[in-house]
Amino acid sequence: MPVPITSVIEELRRTLTAVSYEQQEQLAAEIQKASRVFVAGAGRSGMMARCFAMRLMHMGITAYMVGEVVTPSIAAGDLLVIASGSGETASLVSMAKKAKSLGASVATVTIYPQATIGTLSDAVAVSYTHLTLPTIR
């Protein structure tokens, strides 16, 4: 049976209002101070990361999707934003470590901030799923 659109809208509202304002501010500050922003993700998170990179570009921010043929190398002063539900995807962990070793900052949007990518990050925004969403009244 199809889910009514109002149910989808309500789940999106609950998810978005659960994200910490402080974490949003910290992520925004990292983006604003970066010379360039690189965005990475795998699977469904990667699809959303592509949309995010496009929105950054629409806002006038120099943004690249990691893995594209026109993406330059990351360097000191840049920011790598990783979208990873698990925070443990091996290829993304490797990217975070490499970015840090080159002097770039790392930020992540994840369900599990205590995972490897979260612990490597300068800014973490915790996202939720219908399974991890706290009760909001």
Side-chain angles (χ1 to χ4, degrees):
M1 182 167 150
V3 176
I5 191 68
T6 54
S7 296
V8 173
I9 292 169
E10 177 57 21
E11 184 172 341
L12 288 171
R13 184 199 65 75
R14 288 179 46 223
T15 300
L16 292 173
T17 57
V19 178
S20 158
Y21 181 77
E22 291 77 18
Q23 291 174 358
Q24 293 175 48
E25 285 290 312
Q26 186 180 21
L27 179 58
E30 289 291 332
I31 291 169
Q32 289 174 338
K33 76 178 184 181
S35 299
R36 303 175 297 176
V37 178
F38 293 77
V39 183
R44 288 174 293 186
S45 297
M47 291 174 62
M48 293 304 98
R50 285 183 184 282
C51 295
F52 183 63
M54 177 74 71
R55 292 293 175 231
L56 291 174
M57 185 272 303
H58 287 161
M59 295 184 330
I61 295 168
T62 303
Y64 299 97
M65 187 66 195
V66 174
E68 297 295 327
V69 295
V70 296
T71 302
S73 297
I74 197 167
D78 292 335
L79 172 67
L80 173 62
V81 178
I82 298 176
S84 176
S86 70
E88 295 292 347
T89 305
S91 60
L92 299 174
V93 169
S94 178
M95 284 181 207
K97 289 178 178 178
K98 181 66 173 182
K100 295 295 280 187
S101 76
L102 294 171
S105 297
V106 175
T108 188
V109 178
T110 185
I111 299 167
Y112 300 105
Q114 72 281 7
T116 303
I117 296 171
T119 62
L120 291 168
S121 295
D122 301 287
V124 177
V126 179
S127 182
Y128 297 93
T129 71
H130 69 285
L131 300 174
T132 62
L133 189 64
T135 303
I136 298 176
R137 300 184 193 274

